[in-house]
Amino acid sequence: MIRVSTKFDRPDPSVVKQLSAFSSATIHEAQGRLGALDSAIKPVDHTMSLCGPAFTVQCAPRDNLMLQTAIAYARPGDVVVVSAGAYEEAGSFGDVLANACRSKGLAGLVTDTGVRDTEDLRALGFPVFSRSVSIKGTVKETVGPMCEPITIGGVVVCPGDIVRADADGVVVVRREDAAEAATASQERVDAEAGFIAAYRAGRTVIEMCGLAPVLAAKGLVIEE
């Protein structure tokens, strides 16, 4: 007998909402360039975006038994995060399961394996981020961990961590670091707004970024 618990601490919804206002790239940079999943994991449509607590699940390659189980037990607002061995030649998720997720109010799916029925997924608008697209079917044979730490896209994701994903990629924020990451992200956005205003006013990149001494120290001479 294998016992699996679905109990874990979720982040404060207000912090999730705060982080949802920032791009994945902004959060990644703001938290010290941490938490970015492999760049191969991308949305099936560039307009897709999600932010929510991770409901983690481990699947065997080309097997979606535990993925379907996770969908059944995840709560509204959760992001189902699936580690399946980065196996690209399997369509483990499609329009039928996406409708099951949408009907439960889930925030989206992130997986390191393949998905299919992408035209239907785009039409439905349910956010799906995957490593690949494949029409090859899966089996339902292997049980495994759920709501435990998993590794996906080179990052360890714990249940309750916040997942933010958009057109550029996927970033994970530790639940305990979420409030700090939100503050740091806002500071970065404010700083970048200042840079943009300065550039529009005629300031140069070398001036604003203090590159002159860096270039000089490296021996670069620019002749105009």
Side-chain angles (χ1 to χ4, degrees):
M1 179 180 295
I2 300 175
R3 294 186 180 276
V4 176
S5 174
T6 61
K7 297 179 181 179
F8 61 89
D9 293 329
R10 287 172 171 80
D12 187 325
S14 65
V15 178
V16 175
K17 184 176 181 180
Q18 281 182 285
L19 285 171
S20 70
F22 306 111
S23 71
S24 61
T26 292
I27 295 171
H28 171 60
E29 294 284 355
Q31 64 176 358
R33 297 185 176 177
L34 298 174
L37 271 58
D38 286 347
S39 59
I41 299 177
K42 286 290 194 295
V44 299
D45 185 272
H46 74 278
T47 64
M48 291 179 173
S49 175
L50 61 78
C51 189
F55 189 101
T56 59
V57 61
Q58 183 82 47
C59 293
R62 199 172 165 268
D63 189 322
N64 74 350
L65 175 62
M66 292 308 298
L67 166 56
Q68 297 208 29
T69 305
I71 292 170
Y73 286 94
R75 297 181 185 176
D78 285 349
V79 176
V80 177
V81 182
V82 187
S83 174
Y87 186 80
E88 296 186 1
E89 294 300 320
S92 64
F93 182 92
D95 65 324
V96 175
L97 290 180
N99 275 277
C101 291
R102 172 56 62 82
S103 70
K104 291 199 64 176
L106 304 188
L109 173 98
V110 176
T111 179
D112 66 355
T113 187
V115 300
R116 60 187 185 183
D117 306 326
T118 55
E119 288 191 7
D120 293 321
L121 294 178
R122 294 185 188 102
L124 181 63
F126 181 74
V128 176
F129 291 70
S130 67
R131 179 174 289 275
S132 65
V133 174
S134 174
I135 62 173
K136 298 177 182 178
T138 57
V139 298
K140 298 170 180 61
E141 298 287 347
T142 310
V143 297
M146 190 167 63
C147 299
E148 293 183 12
I150 60 172
T151 298
I152 174 175
V155 175
V156 176
V157 182
C158 298
D161 287 347
I162 298 176
V163 182
R164 174 73 176 105
D166 54 24
D168 291 334
V170 185
V171 67
V172 177
V173 180
R174 297 283 174 262
R175 182 175 59 84
E176 60 270 23
D177 298 333
E180 183 179 349
T183 298
S185 295
Q186 185 60 61
E187 291 172 351
R188 183 175 178 83
V189 167
D190 293 341
E192 289 181 342
F195 274 88
I196 292 171
Y199 293 146
R200 289 176 175 173
R203 303 281 293 275
T204 70
V205 174
I206 289 178
E207 179 185 6
M208 291 299 297
C209 296
L211 297 181
V214 176
L215 297 175
K218 295 182 180 295
L220 179 67
V221 177
I222 301 176
E223 298 180 352
E224 298 185 73

